[in-house]
């Protein structure tokens, strides 16, 4: 099923939870150590099990989301990705010249909804990655969840790439407000910023690809990132049902060697990567 990205982000929580429960049931058949950890991860997310410190961090991020949702401010941004369906038929070269004016209240609706943001947060908390990369900062909601989880873990750093300079500037400001000094935002088109980020942070053990929304580009980014992965890592791919091309790319990714767990959450794909093992899909 291919759905509009904005409609997806407005899906009722119960719809997202229903998909997660289906995934949870499958994890009970997995007897591996990683499978057991993933089962605990989904149980915590579905029960919204939080410590006081976790609850406090998330409350601050959701207060920022609420503030942006209520904002009347409009900004000009240059779109380097696939953009919306209205831009999907334009070539990348043409899209690089597209400057859009949009309200912050509209832009923030494309951020990860709270339940999927919580999944990222709990994934970081449970598996303790140290070298994290995000492609697609936007206004920084998902990065704030990741950065907050790293901060609570006591170690780890996130490099977040954002094509639109204005969004990168705003995200940096919001991270300062949240006292998240473990996030470094790099602005510019991914084909320029990604090689720089990879050289700065080898041994990646967490990657979140949430930008460009083009299946061929997603596969190309993964090919570029793979040599810099740690022997074990988690990779999360957003909007895997955003278009037929994205869906085809996800189906290729989940079958690649080393993807020992490939979990399909509808619009979000989660892979556990192990360089030394053959993969299977769940």
């Amino acid at each position: 099923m291919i759905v509009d990205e904005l409609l997806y982000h407005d899906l009722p929580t119960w719809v997202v939870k229903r998909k997660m429960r289906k995934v949870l049931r499958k994890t009970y058949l997995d007897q591996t150590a990683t499978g057991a950890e993933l089962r605990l991860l989904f149980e915590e997310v579905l029960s919204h099990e939080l410590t006081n410190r976790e609850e406090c961090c998330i409350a601050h991020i959701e207060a920022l989301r609420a503030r942006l949702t209520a904002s009347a401010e409009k900004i000009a941004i240059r779109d380097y990705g696939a953009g919306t369906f209205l831009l999907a038929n334009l070539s990348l070269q043409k899209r690089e010249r597209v400057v859009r004016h949009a309200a912050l209240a509209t832009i923030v609706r494309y951020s990860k909804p709270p339940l999927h943001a919580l999944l990222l947060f709990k994934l970081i908390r449970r598996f303790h990655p140290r070298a994290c990369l995000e492609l697609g900062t936007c206004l920084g909601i998902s990065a704030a969840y990741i950065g907050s989880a790293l901060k609570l873990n006591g170690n780890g750093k996130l490099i977040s790439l954002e094509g639109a300079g204005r969004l990168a500037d705003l995200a940096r400001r919001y991270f300062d407000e949240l006292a998240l000094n473990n996030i470094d935002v790099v602005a510019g088109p991914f084909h320029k910023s990604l090689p720089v980020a990879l050289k700065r942070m080898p041994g990646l053990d967490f990657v979140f690809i949430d930008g460009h929304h083009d299946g061929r580009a997603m596969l190309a980014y993964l090919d570029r990132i793979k040599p810099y992965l740690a022997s074990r890592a988690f990779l999360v791919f957003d909007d895997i049902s955003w278009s037929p091309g994205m869906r085809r790319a996800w189906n290729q990714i989940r079958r690649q060697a080393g993807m020992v767990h490939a979990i399909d959450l509808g619009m979000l794909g989660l892979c556990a990567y192990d360089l030394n093992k053959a993969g299977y899909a769940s």
Side-chain angles (χ1 to χ4, degrees):
M1 178 180 66
I2 309 302
V3 298
D4 187 289
E5 184 188 4
L6 188 54
L7 292 178
Y8 154 69
H9 287 291
D10 287 338
L11 282 176
T13 300
W14 69 266
V15 175
V16 182
K17 282 187 174 182
R18 183 176 61 184
K19 184 65 175 178
M20 285 191 180
R21 289 191 185 99
K22 289 182 180 179
V23 171
L24 177 60
R25 286 195 292 272
K26 289 185 179 182
T27 65
Y28 285 103
L29 303 175
D30 187 344
Q31 301 302 312
T32 66
T34 301
E37 289 291 327
L38 288 170
R39 180 166 61 252
L40 292 173
L41 167 71
F42 281 102
E43 287 175 347
E44 286 183 358
V45 172
L46 287 167
S47 65
H48 207 79
E49 182 180 326
L50 298 171
T51 67
N52 289 338
R53 294 177 68 201
E54 289 175 339
E55 192 168 3
C56 182
C57 288
I58 290 173
H60 287 306
I61 300 169
E62 288 305 319
L64 170 63
R65 190 200 298 266
R67 194 177 87 211
L68 293 171
T69 300
S71 173
E73 181 181 353
K74 290 188 176 182
I75 61 170
I77 56 175
R78 187 178 299 276
D79 190 344
Y80 287 97
T84 67
F85 279 115
L86 295 177
L87 300 177
N89 62 339
L90 297 178
S91 69
L92 177 59
Q93 182 179 1
K94 290 181 179 179
R95 285 198 298 268
E96 288 182 348
R97 297 199 296 265
V98 172
V99 176
R100 296 184 293 130
H101 290 80
L104 294 182
T106 299
I107 298 170
V108 76
R109 291 177 64 194
Y110 288 90
S111 298
K112 296 282 85 45
L115 195 62
H116 278 164
L118 179 61
L119 177 64
L120 297 176
F121 180 89
K122 284 294 190 177
L123 184 65
I124 300 296
R125 290 287 280 150
R126 178 159 291 279
F127 291 97
H128 288 258
R130 300 175 63 93
C132 305
L133 175 67
E134 177 186 48
L135 277 68
T137 315
C138 195
L139 290 169
I141 298 297
S142 58
Y145 269 86
I146 295 167
S148 294
L150 291 171
K151 185 175 181 180
L152 289 174
N153 286 350
N155 56 54
K157 185 174 180 64
L158 170 66
I159 294 180
S160 185
L161 310 183
E162 173 51 51
R166 179 61 175 138
L167 289 178
D169 289 340
L170 287 170
R172 292 188 190 102
R173 189 176 84 192
Y174 301 144
F175 298 150
D176 286 342
E177 291 178 11
L178 295 167
L180 294 173
N181 58 8
N182 56 359
I183 305 175
D184 186 8
V185 181
V186 180
F190 293 162
H191 71 272
K192 293 181 180 180
S193 60
L194 181 57
V196 175
L198 292 174
K199 289 178 181 178
R200 287 175 52 189
M201 190 177 283
L204 291 166
D205 43 9
F206 177 81
V207 177
F208 180 36
I209 298 181
D210 179 24
H212 203 143
H213 301 97
D214 177 89
R216 288 175 297 180
M218 186 166 72
L219 290 168
Y221 296 143
L222 179 59
D223 286 343
R224 179 66 68 91
I225 290 167
K226 261 190 169 182
Y228 294 86
L229 290 176
S231 58
R232 294 184 179 182
F234 279 94
L235 300 98
V236 181
F237 303 88
D238 193 34
D239 297 321
I240 59 173
S241 295
W242 190 77
S243 68
M246 288 289 284
R247 197 69 202 172
R248 286 192 297 269
W250 164 249
N251 286 331
Q252 291 182 47
I253 288 168
R254 67 188 182 91
R255 293 184 174 92
Q256 290 187 8
M259 300 301 183
V260 292
H261 293 81
I263 297 173
D264 187 339
L265 290 169
M267 288 295 285
L268 199 70
L270 168 63
C271 290
Y273 174 79
D274 190 328
L275 183 61
N276 301 311
K277 294 182 181 180
Y280 72 92
S282 62

